[in-house]
Amino acid sequence: MIAYTLGIDYGTNSVRAVVVDCADGHVVGTSVFEYPSGDQGVLLSPRDPHLARQNPADYLAGLRASVTGALSSAEGTPGFARERVIGIGVDTTGSTPIPIDAAARPLALDPRWANNLAAQAWLWKDHTAAGEAAAITETARQHAPEYIAPIGGTYSSEWWWSKIWHCLEVAPDVFEAAASWVELADYIPAVLAGVGHPRAIVRCVCAAGHKALYSDTWGGLPSKAFLARLDPKLAELRDRLYDLAWPPGLPAGTLSKTWAETLGLREGIAIAMGGFDAHYGAVGSGIRTGTFVKIIGTSTCDCAIAPVSDRIENIPGICGIVNGSIMPDYYGIEAGQSAVGDILNWWVGVCEGDESLHGLLSERAARLRPGESGLVALDWNNGNRTILVDPRLTGLVVGQTLHTTPDEIYRALIEATAFGARAIIERLTEYNVSIDRVVCCGGIVEKNDLFMQIYADVIGRPMLLAGSPQTPALGSAVAAAVTAGGAPGGYDSWQDAQDKMTTLKEKRFEPQPAAQAVYHELYGIYRELHDTFGGGAGAAPNLGTLMKRLLAIKARA
Amino acid sequence: MIAYTLGIDYGTNSVRAVVVDCADGHVVGTSVFEYPSGDQGVLLSPRDPHLARQNPADYLAGLRASVTGALSSAEGTPGFARERVIGIGVDTTGSTPIPIDAAARPLALDPRWANNLAAQAWLWKDHTAAGEAAAITETARQHAPEYIAPIGGTYSSEWWWSKIWHCLEVAPDVFEAAASWVELADYIPAVLAGVGHPRAIVRCVCAAGHKALYSDTWGGLPSKAFLARLDPKLAELRDRLYDLAWPPGLPAGTLSKTWAETLGLREGIAIAMGGFDAHYGAVGSGIRTGTFVKIIGTSTCDCAIAPVSDRIENIPGICGIVNGSIMPDYYGIEAGQSAVGDILNWWVGVCEGDESLHGLLSERAARLRPGESGLVALDWNNGNRTILVDPRLTGLVVGQTLHTTPDEIYRALIEATAFGARAIIERLTEYNVSIDRVVCCGGIVEKNDLFMQIYADVIGRPMLLAGSPQTPALGSAVAAAVTAGGAPGGYDSWQDAQDKMTTLKEKRFEPQPAAQAVYHELYGIYRELHDTFGGGAGAAPNLGTLMKRLLAIKARA
């Protein structure tokens, strides 16, 4: 039975739609829409470098344009017909809260609020709410430690409650005008389903569990008593949000008549539960028990799953363990590294080079043997997300001589990110998450063999490459095929859908024993620096605070 | 009374002669001779990067050419005449031992040995004798700790006995053929004086005391018993070396008839005691009690003096305290930093820049406020000479973010060398060496105001600039004027000679209180890193060995 699904991936600067053949995951149509507003879609403030917002009108324009474009480009594929599209899946960046009115429309679409930065979507990388995040962490430590135990013990300024509270603090008029708030990952499915009021929006547990402190364990969102400790108005807001959130596989709704006509699709086809790009990227990479998925870009998002029957405990420093956030009946486990490609881009910039310098430095670095440079670096130029959960850590390079070359430092920085990746994997396996293979996707993965070989040698496991360069969009399409399981061509099981619709590249990277041995030793040195400068237990008393003291001096300078 | 002296400065790549007016230190003639042999005068080995030798024939060619050239260029100066030259002073690099025959001629001038690398002059930067140096240190620790106490507790691979012993080990034929050995600083004065056998060479206490473990305290050179513990042949060699060494001010001889004719000077004029470039550079910078002289180049040599009546104790980590090595009746105190300009050159190279990038990076770095970069670095890319006396330490930079710029790192590296300088000054003052002003000379000093201001702010003392750009040659000329004290136009006292012949520039750099306060705090952080990674007392147990372990891995790679 020939069937297709649509996968729609909302990135920071663009939205991409793909039309996928449910039989084999083949992409038969694709289209990318670049956001027109602001700076590549991002609204910035000249007064605050931490602010990053986005105009929700871009999301709607992008929905229409990307889907229409993808369907047009699929025309002519033998067997393809618009009526054979059986479902739509959506993934987005997050946490991206949007204030909405009583009709579930973003406030920013109303001309009265259109130019108010607080009324826009609050992008994942908006860090204006650092103060609120710290206060939430502190309040939870004192009054509800169970809330933050599954997220590594620290609530982030990038997340739902920090941002909404910050809006209340700095733009109370916007907060008052908002009937409710919605994650972008829930908003787009609700738009497609024609949802007309906030309480009718179907919320995904992926966003709720990882960003909004939602858990069945304590009855959904944090208690009103807890929220009232932050601000009574947040406790009031709780009643206007949601009681329940749902795992993927369940429908977020069905395609509305209006949008069916707009897009030229059948009314009533399944809309998959929304989800974050990394999570659906993991699905598109064929995640299963024992598979660790790394989506490697400027930063890295890691995902693993573990059967709910395994009763995984809270894992220190792992930023999220949420029942059903990636696939139903599994814990979705999320980790990450704050800078990976960004560290290499930074180094190329320091060397006054352009994009092409990556190739030259990699080529020269590939001629070095492990350990030959005498260098070890920490990969904290943008803080440490996992396993230290500390955005205020900074970089370090040790071992330089007068002969140290730019390519030696480049290699040491790649190695540092690989050591950081190993620290995450070790933490998970120490807490009984099984990991036997690593599947990677992202631009670096496809372009940089040196990078991948170092990761294999440092991590000591085969590094596999996802078959698709666009795993989030593909994963959304997989979710749509499962959600539309009852329709001809859909799937009843995630396993079947992944087996058929996702692939791995033939190319893979195996650990080389000699290199692995050297890197094992260097990893020990990395961990000494990591544990000491990270300030954890056993850190040398002074050095554990050294980076923070430097930042304090910098802030005063 | 119009009189002139010649100062001859033997550098690594060239020799410079100046003709100086004794009345006011004015240079009336100058000439530089670039060595023709090898790589800018240095003989290297493709098999051993630690090897650095020099052909002594270059020294003789350079003597003739530079002096002749300087005298020619002085011709025409009103009042100048060759017969008014009353003395010659010589300074050289060191320790630079040269094997010589029974006629006090370098073996390498004999065609039989001309192509043997071991028969050449062993340059100061030759590090082939690392093993011998370690064994000398260990033997002294066990059997004669008094020998190494005045040199900071560690004998260097750059010094006299390490090199001669290494020659015995790797080229026993050269060792056997050598009637004796001579420091370059003693060899050139002996050549000018026409000395015809090794025992007649007048040896300076500057080289003997700082490099050959010579001290009146234990009767000159190390005992035969001690040397026999190293190798019986070294004990035998002791008899063919010297019993006494002398401070500056005493003559190394008088100009021989042959060389008087060669150079067109009067026979019998005074030849000053030889000395090292840094020591005569200190004289040319107007060193006195309370003055700390910094000769800042690729590395930095520091000199201070203290009256012998002060009975300065041994100072831990200070590489030499020698009675009479800079001026008679004063302890000459030597310290240094293994890389200063070299670290900045290294960084410019990492940024793929050429010489001109120093200007651009300095200009941008000058716009930064102290502490603004959030960076602190260690200045150990070439090891640490003072106060840790450990050539096997390496560099470190901490505090990088994704926004860290090349000029921020450039400034952090300047600051690191300034912190290193402060550590030296603090160590000296803790041990009662008085320091109230710092006089600097060298290319960076003249060219880079940012560098000098940072030093003033970090060190917290006025930074003064020596009046001459060529202080070693000027200092040698001063020494010649004092040595020729009996001749009309000469000086009876060092103080008088320095007062008249040396000057300071009007330009000076005063500490700025606000910057000083920030740097005081950053210096505290530098010292935490310094003391921890330097492996001294109180170091975190693992981090104190971390750099060494990295080097071991590097060596194995």
Side-chain angles (χ1 to χ4, degrees), chain A residues 169-233:
Chain A
E169 296 286 326
V170 299
D173 52 342
V174 171
F175 184 89
E176 291 298 336
S180 187
W181 289 71
V182 64
E183 276 282 356
L184 174 57
D186 295 326
Y187 172 64
I188 301 298
V191 165
L192 290 169
V195 170
H197 58 98
R199 293 290 304 194
I201 297 172
V202 177
R203 314 282 183 147
C204 64
V205 76
C206 175
H210 284 291
K211 310 298 180 188
L213 299 175
Y214 175 97
S215 173
D216 290 342
T217 317
W218 50 81
L221 292 171
S223 71
K224 290 183 81 164
F226 177 83
L227 293 172
R229 285 186 189 278
L230 308 181
D231 193 298
K233 286 184 191 296

Side-chain angles (χ1 to χ4, degrees), chain B residues 39 41-55 115-130 157 163 166-167 170-171:
Chain B
D39 184 357
V42 182
L43 305 173
L44 303 168
S45 162
R47 284 184 317 218
D48 186 352
H50 301 297
L51 187 147
R53 309 281 158 81
Q54 208 153 32
N55 186 337
N115 295 317
N116 188 317
L117 280 171
Q120 313 297 319
W122 292 52
L123 270 183
W124 62 277
K125 63 180 174 181
D126 186 295
H127 288 112
T128 52
S157 64
K163 286 167 169 168
H166 188 69
C167 175
V170 300

Side-chain angles (χ1 to χ4, degrees), chain A residues 342 346 350 369-372 374 381 394-402 404 406 521 528 542-543 549 554 556-557, chain B residues 346 350 369-372 374 381 394-402 404 406 521 528 542-543 549-550 554 556-557:
Chain A
D342 267 350
W346 166 72
V350 166
R369 292 178 301 280
E372 185 182 348
N381 290 41
T394 56
L396 182 149
V397 182
V398 63
Q400 299 93 325
T401 71
L402 295 174
T404 298
E521 200 170 352
E528 287 173 38
N542 287 330
L543 299 183
R549 286 179 286 134
K554 177 175 181 167
R556 292 203 318 267
Chain B
W346 165 73
V350 166
R369 292 179 300 281
E372 185 182 348
N381 291 42
T394 56
L396 183 149
V397 182
V398 63
Q400 299 92 325
T401 71
L402 295 174
T404 298
E521 200 171 351
E528 287 173 37
N542 286 329
L543 300 183
R549 286 179 284 135
L550 274 179
K554 178 175 180 167
R556 291 202 318 267

Side-chain angles (χ1 to χ4, degrees), chain B residues 304-327:
Chain B
I305 61 175
V308 170
S309 56
D310 277 3
R311 303 193 61 74
I312 299 293
E313 293 171 55
N314 296 328
I315 305 179
I318 298 298
C319 50
I321 303 176
V322 173
N323 186 341
S325 70
I326 296 178
M327 295 202 298

Side-chain angles (χ1 to χ4, degrees), chain A residues 338-339 342-343 346-347 349-352 357 360-361 364 369-376 380-382 393-406 408-409 518 521-522 524-525 528-529 532-533 540 542-543 545-547 549-551 553-557, chain B residues 338-339 342-343 346-347 349-352 357 360-361 364 369-376 380-382 393-406 408-409 518 521-522 524-525 528-529 532-533 540 542-543 545-547 549-551 553-557:
Chain A
S338 315
D342 267 350
I343 292 190
W346 166 72
W347 183 246
V350 166
C351 297
E352 310 270 352
L357 190 55
L360 182 64
L361 289 175
R364 289 186 187 156
R369 292 178 301 280
E372 185 182 348
S373 70
L375 300 172
V376 166
W380 298 348
N381 290 41
N382 196 23
L393 293 171
T394 56
L396 182 149
V397 182
V398 63
Q400 299 93 325
T401 71
L402 295 174
H403 307 291
T404 298
T405 59
E408 286 178 325
I409 295 176
V518 177
E521 200 170 352
L522 289 172
I525 288 175
E528 287 173 38
L529 294 167
T532 303
F533 285 93
N542 287 330
L543 299 183
T545 60
L546 187 143
M547 289 172 177
R549 286 179 286 134
L550 274 179
L551 289 177
I553 292 170
K554 177 175 181 167
R556 292 203 318 267
Chain B
S338 315
D342 267 350
I343 292 192
W346 165 73
W347 183 246
V350 166
C351 298
E352 311 270 351
L357 189 55
L360 182 64
L361 289 175
R364 289 186 187 156
R369 292 179 300 281
E372 185 182 348
S373 71
L375 300 173
V376 166
W380 298 348
N381 291 42
N382 196 24
L393 292 171
T394 56
L396 183 149
V397 182
V398 63
Q400 299 92 325
T401 71
L402 295 174
H403 307 290
T404 298
T405 59
E408 286 178 325
I409 295 176
V518 176
E521 200 171 351
L522 289 173
I525 287 176
E528 287 173 37
L529 293 168
T532 303
F533 285 92
N542 286 329
L543 300 183
T545 60
L546 187 143
M547 289 171 177
R549 286 179 284 135
L550 274 179
L551 289 176
I553 292 170
K554 178 175 180 167
R556 291 202 318 267

Side-chain angles (χ1 to χ4, degrees), chain A residues 45-58:
Chain A
S45 161
R47 283 183 318 218
D48 186 352
H50 301 296
L51 186 147
R53 309 281 158 82
Q54 208 154 30
N55 186 337
D58 285 357

Side-chain angles (χ1 to χ4, degrees), chain A residues 369-370 411 453 457-458 511-522:
Chain A
R369 292 178 301 280
R411 183 172 178 126
Q453 187 60 52
D457 293 337
V458 167
Q512 298 169 342
Q516 220 183 319
V518 177
Y519 280 133
H520 183 70
E521 200 170 352
L522 289 172

